[in-house]
Amino acid sequence: MREEWASLGSALASFMFLWAVIRQFFPVGPETVLIKYIHKLTSFIYPYVRIQIPEYTGQGMKRSEAFTAIEAYLSDSCSQRANKLKADLGKDSSKLILSMDDHEEVTDEFGGAKFWWSSSSRSTRQPQVLSWYPAPDEKRSYKLVFHKRKRQLVLDSYLSHVLKEGREVAVRNRRRKLYCNNPGGSGYGYRSGVWSHVLFEHPSTFDTLAMDPGKKLEIKKDLDAFRKGKDYYAKIGKAWKRGYLLYGPPGTGKSSMIGAMANFLDYDVYDLELTTVKNNVELRKLFIETTGKSIIVIEDIDCSLDLTGKRKQKGKKEEGASEEKKNLPPGQEEKDESSKVTLSGLLNFIDGIWSACGGERLIVFTTNHIEKLDPALIRRGRMDKHIEMSYCGFEAFKVLARNYLDVDSHPLFDTIRDLMEEVKITPADVAEKLMRKSGDEDAGSCLENLIQAMNKVREEEASKQAHASTEEIVKGEEEKSGAEEEEASKQAVRSGEEMDGEEKRGSRADGVL
């Protein structure tokens, strides 16, 4: 027995020595060659083809659109045949949307053929390395299995059918979102991008918007033409986007207009705060991360940044502050947190070469002072449609009366119409007077409150005009009196000069004599 063990150990040692020699001269190990031929043999015998669709692809680890479409397709067509399901709220929050859970398999039929879909996920342990695009902690994927004989059917029809149906289901079930940009663009890969969001549930619609009906119809037609204009924009060689400028006094419904546009088009909203964007590069990154079917909003564009392109001279205070910064000890210098976004960068964002990265986007600017904006920023082609949000007219008032009081006519309407021709009042002020403050108030009392408010505004305007007229009269009299005094002074100076001249001439005459 002892001799047998000794011979076995010697044989193992010889085998290990020979194995090391073989690995030295043959870098590709025999096991690799063996596995390769086993796979070939299996593929020759195994009659099925497998296609894997991972959730994240590409260097930036962006979620695959194909994965999203397949997920929506399976949730709609195959969820009734799955045993393990997961649920999420649907578009209107009134029902749950079911989808296939991980490690589950369902069958699908198309064109007389059967297809097997399965989902899988596995956790990945990555080293703690700081990266702009860290790998996901969990890798999810879908796998499609079908018979070799159906390969052409899959390539020609089935995959296109799945993507088309899945995208339509995703649009029907998606919940619209309101995005805001993270300060400083502190996003790390797929985990927390440069945008954060909440669900968008703004109640404003064009039916509730206080505006002239003809103007609303014109805007709706324009939006509908844009939504259906993909082929037209491609034909004319223009990026599929459109700019809107909403301008007017505060309280005229500019934000409500944005909500109505989003609800009409069923688009997401990106609320871009320019003051938190560090530079033009970060602005482009924000634009790239937006999706189609969205409205990009910059409110109060005239207050966001100094976008006139003009340099301002430093005042004494700014010069003193700069001197204080120079006198700070080393290492205590203040960081410049102001935005470095320039007018050129914003123009490139709107209609430059970067604006063609994606389609079906509306860009909306709002302002209370259109005269403060640089003409290059709001010219046609950038802000294609200018919409003035003006004071409340009688037609807009009737919309508010129907919304707040459920009345389409009232004896006080004629009085209100006459007052609105004389008084400038915003829709926000009108809505505040029409809103019932208690259960005792009826439509008549609310309309009386509005009439009193407009009468008060009319009296204040009349008082201001009278005061202004008085000031003009006083100013005119003061200017007239000042002019008379100045003329008298000039006359006195001229008289003195004449007397001096006569004295000089008399003295010359005495000298001659």
Side-chain angles (χ1 to χ4, degrees):
M1 181 66 68
R2 189 177 299 174
E3 293 177 355
E4 291 178 358
W5 280 108
S7 60
L8 180 60
S10 178
L12 288 174
S14 301
F15 177 76
M16 295 298 293
F17 175 76
L18 291 174
W19 180 257
V21 173
I22 293 172
R23 291 296 299 268
Q24 185 176 0
F25 291 99
F26 298 95
V28 180
E31 73 279 4
T32 306
V33 178
L34 182 62
I35 292 173
K36 176 182 176 181
Y37 283 103
I38 289 175
H39 279 305
K40 284 187 176 182
L41 181 62
T42 304
S43 62
F44 182 76
I45 300 173
Y46 188 70
Y48 295 98
V49 178
R50 291 176 294 181
I51 300 177
Q52 189 169 9
I53 302 95
E55 182 177 10
Y56 292 97
T57 57
Q59 183 180 1
M61 296 307 296
K62 193 172 183 179
R63 200 166 194 258
S64 168
E65 294 184 10
F67 182 92
T68 304
I70 291 169
E71 186 177 42
Y73 173 80
L74 295 177
S75 68
D76 185 67
S77 63
C78 304
S79 59
Q80 295 182 357
R81 296 187 290 272
N83 295 324
K84 291 174 60 180
L85 300 168
K86 55 184 178 182
D88 194 7
L89 286 175
K91 182 177 182 179
D92 56 0
S93 303
S94 62
K95 63 178 182 178
L96 292 174
I97 302 297
L98 301 178
S99 59
M100 188 170 64
D101 199 3
D102 296 334
H103 308 291
E104 181 65 3
E105 182 176 311
V106 294
T107 58
D108 188 26
E109 294 185 2
F110 178 82
K114 276 191 175 183
F115 302 92
W116 292 266
W117 287 98
S118 61
S119 62
S120 63
S121 66
R122 61 185 181 88
S123 59
T124 58
R125 293 184 179 180
Q126 298 291 334
Q128 297 297 324
V129 178
L130 183 62
S131 172
W132 285 103
Y133 300 105
D137 294 330
E138 185 180 42
K139 288 187 176 180
R140 301 175 61 228
S141 63
Y142 285 110
K143 185 170 66 174
L144 171 64
V145 179
F146 55 91
H147 201 278
K148 289 181 179 180
R149 293 195 300 267
K150 306 300 179 183
R151 183 190 294 267
Q152 204 60 38
L153 175 65
V154 171
L155 297 178
D156 293 343
S157 307
Y158 183 65
L159 290 179
S160 301
H161 163 76
V162 170
L163 292 177
K164 180 182 177 181
E165 293 292 326
R167 286 168 179 158
E168 292 178 357
V169 172
V171 171
R172 289 199 304 266
N173 293 337
R174 77 184 183 99
R175 304 189 70 184
R176 286 183 296 118
K177 298 173 183 177
L178 172 62
Y179 293 85
C180 65
N181 53 305
N182 296 322
S186 56
Y188 293 96
Y190 77 103
R191 301 177 202 274
S192 58
V194 294
W195 296 98
S196 56
H197 69 268
V198 294
L199 293 179
F200 181 75
E201 298 175 343
H202 200 288
S204 177
T205 64
F206 278 104
D207 293 333
T208 62
L209 196 64
M211 181 181 281
D212 180 74
K215 197 171 183 179
K216 286 196 288 188
L217 182 61
E218 176 189 346
I219 296 170
K220 289 169 67 175
K221 286 182 177 179
D222 189 82
L223 292 172
D224 195 50
F226 170 78
R227 177 171 51 186
K228 300 175 181 178
K230 181 179 180 180
D231 295 335
Y232 176 74
Y233 277 84
K235 175 185 174 183
I236 63 177
K238 196 175 179 183
W240 190 14
K241 65 171 187 59
R242 189 162 175 79
Y244 280 74
L245 176 66
L246 309 181
Y247 66 96
T252 51
K254 293 184 285 294
S255 297
S256 297
M257 169 64 78
I258 294 171
M261 293 167 67
N263 288 326
F264 178 75
L265 294 171
D266 197 22
Y267 281 8
D268 293 326
V269 176
Y270 288 84
D271 183 16
L272 177 58
E273 179 56 56
L274 278 181
T275 55
T276 63
V277 182
K278 291 182 178 180
N279 49 46
N280 296 335
V281 175
E282 188 175 307
L283 184 64
R284 289 195 293 266
K285 184 178 180 182
L286 285 166
F287 183 81
I288 292 173
E289 291 295 327
T290 61
T291 61
K293 296 184 180 296
S294 62
I295 302 176
I296 303 172
V297 180
I298 304 179
E299 293 196 277
D300 298 321
I301 183 67
D302 55 303
C303 302
S304 297
L305 293 173
D306 179 19
L307 298 172
T308 60
K310 299 176 182 178
R311 297 181 178 181
K312 293 184 176 181
Q313 294 182 353
K314 290 186 177 180
K316 294 182 179 179
K317 293 183 179 179
E318 293 179 351
E319 291 177 357
S322 61
E323 290 295 331
E324 291 179 1
K325 290 181 181 179
K326 291 180 182 179
N327 296 329
L328 287 174
Q332 295 186 14
E333 294 85 356
E334 293 183 8
K335 293 182 179 179
D336 186 6
E337 298 293 341
S338 60
S339 175
K340 297 296 189 298
V341 175
T342 63
L343 177 61
S344 174
L346 187 60
L347 296 181
N348 193 27
F349 172 85
I350 298 171
D351 71 340
I353 192 169
W354 286 93
S355 66
C357 298
E360 200 170 0
R361 290 177 175 89
L362 288 178
I363 300 175
V364 179
F365 288 171
T366 70
T367 180
N368 297 331
H369 306 283
I370 188 173
E371 68 279 359
K372 292 184 179 180
L373 299 181
D374 193 296
L377 186 64
I378 59 176
R379 70 162 176 80
R380 307 294 176 173
R382 291 189 175 118
M383 293 294 103
D384 303 282
K385 191 169 183 63
H386 295 188
I387 302 174
E388 182 181 6
M389 308 297 292
S390 187
Y391 292 100
C392 188
F394 184 68
E395 293 298 329
F397 157 74
K398 290 197 296 183
V399 175
L400 293 174
R402 184 166 55 251
N403 294 341
Y404 285 85
L405 304 176
D406 295 324
V407 294
D408 292 319
S409 62
H410 195 276
L412 295 176
F413 273 21
D414 293 335
T415 305
I416 293 173
R417 179 193 288 110
D418 296 337
L419 284 171
M420 283 189 168
E421 293 177 355
E422 303 177 20
V423 175
K424 291 181 178 180
I425 186 170
T426 64
D429 292 331
V430 174
E432 175 60 25
K433 298 302 177 184
L434 296 182
M435 184 177 291
R436 291 188 173 96
K437 308 300 187 298
S438 65
D440 300 334
E441 286 188 311
D442 58 0
S445 61
C446 292
L447 294 174
E448 287 286 354
N449 292 336
L450 176 59
I451 292 173
Q452 292 176 8
M454 287 195 292
N455 282 325
K456 184 177 179 180
V457 172
R458 183 172 63 175
E459 292 173 0
E460 290 176 353
E461 289 180 354
S463 177
K464 288 180 180 178
Q465 290 178 359
H467 184 67
S469 300
T470 304
E471 286 183 347
E472 287 180 0
I473 293 172
V474 172
K475 185 177 179 181
E477 292 179 352
E478 290 177 350
E479 290 177 352
K480 183 179 179 181
S481 176
E484 291 176 353
E485 291 177 359
E486 184 178 357
E487 183 63 27
S489 176
K490 290 179 179 179
Q491 184 66 31
V493 170
R494 284 196 296 269
S495 299
E497 290 176 350
E498 290 176 359
M499 292 178 63
D500 291 343
E502 290 178 358
E503 290 178 357
K504 289 179 180 179
R505 285 194 296 272
S507 61
R508 287 198 200 99
D510 293 339
V512 172
L513 292 174

